[in-house]
Amino acid sequence: MPILDLRFSKIKAENNNKPVSKEGVKVDMKVNFINVEELPKPENSPTSAFKADFEFKLDYQKHGSIVMDGYILYGDEDKKIKEVMKSWKKDKILEKEVSLLLMNAILVKSNVKALNLAQEINLPLHLRMPMLGNQK
């Protein structure tokens, strides 16, 4: 089963108004899962779901930051959800297959939002945008 929902609960964008050098600005991107909890299962349903709280952070070093907190809901067969929850409770790690799926969804939605926020508060874009050039 797929991702059921992805929402932001807190968004913070900050520009510290430091001058940018000729070398540009180094931007570190990080996504962390904060907590994972199994959701109540509907009666007579063959599937279960869990909610994973996450933090997406772009650190522009001394220049500023963009931080977005949110959650993602994922549903699958009971057996799969139980395996994911067991792994999380034991090591605070999500299974690789599920983690990749969740991370990709978080990265897509968060990066689109972060591009807009960076532009609004005058931070350099953290992703290279396509540019047209003269053909020779």
Side-chain angles (χ1 to χ4, degrees):
M1 257 183 95
I3 292 167
L4 306 172
D5 197 9
L6 190 160
R7 295 189 186 200
F8 297 111
S9 55
K10 180 176 149 186
I11 297 173
K12 180 182 175 187
E14 183 175 24
N15 183 337
N16 296 331
N17 294 313
K18 302 281 184 191
V20 177
S21 67
K22 290 180 184 177
E23 294 82 40
V25 176
K26 182 177 186 276
V27 182
D28 293 322
M29 182 186 311
K30 193 178 231 180
V31 177
N32 290 319
F33 289 106
I34 309 301
N35 187 42
V36 177
E37 63 184 67
E38 192 169 357
L39 298 175
K41 181 180 171 181
E43 258 187 67
N44 302 321
S45 174
T47 61
S48 294
F50 68 81
K51 174 184 174 188
D53 297 314
F54 68 87
E55 178 188 66
F56 172 90
K57 183 173 185 178
L58 293 175
D59 185 1
Y60 285 81
Q61 310 304 317
K62 65 182 179 182
H63 300 282
S65 64
I66 295 175
V67 180
M68 292 181 262
D69 294 345
Y71 67 84
I72 188 165
L73 302 180
Y74 175 81
D76 210 328
E77 297 174 352
D78 288 343
K79 181 181 174 187
K80 183 72 169 177
I81 298 299
K82 296 290 182 208
E83 289 171 11
V84 170
M85 293 309 301
K86 183 178 177 182
S87 172
W88 177 260
K89 287 176 184 172
K90 181 180 177 212
D91 301 318
K92 300 292 185 212
I93 295 173
L94 291 174
E95 264 187 14
K96 187 175 183 176
E97 177 186 328
V98 173
S99 179
L100 286 173
L101 183 68
L102 298 182
M103 288 291 252
N104 284 329
I106 291 167
L107 287 171
V108 168
K109 190 162 184 175
S110 298
N111 277 313
V112 170
K113 177 80 72 186
L115 285 169
N116 183 280
L117 290 168
Q119 187 177 36
E120 290 293 324
I121 65 168
N122 297 315
L123 282 172
L125 299 180
H126 65 288
L127 297 175
R128 185 173 298 234
M129 300 303 291
M131 297 290 206
L132 300 177
N134 287 332
Q135 230 177 359
K136 294 182 182 182

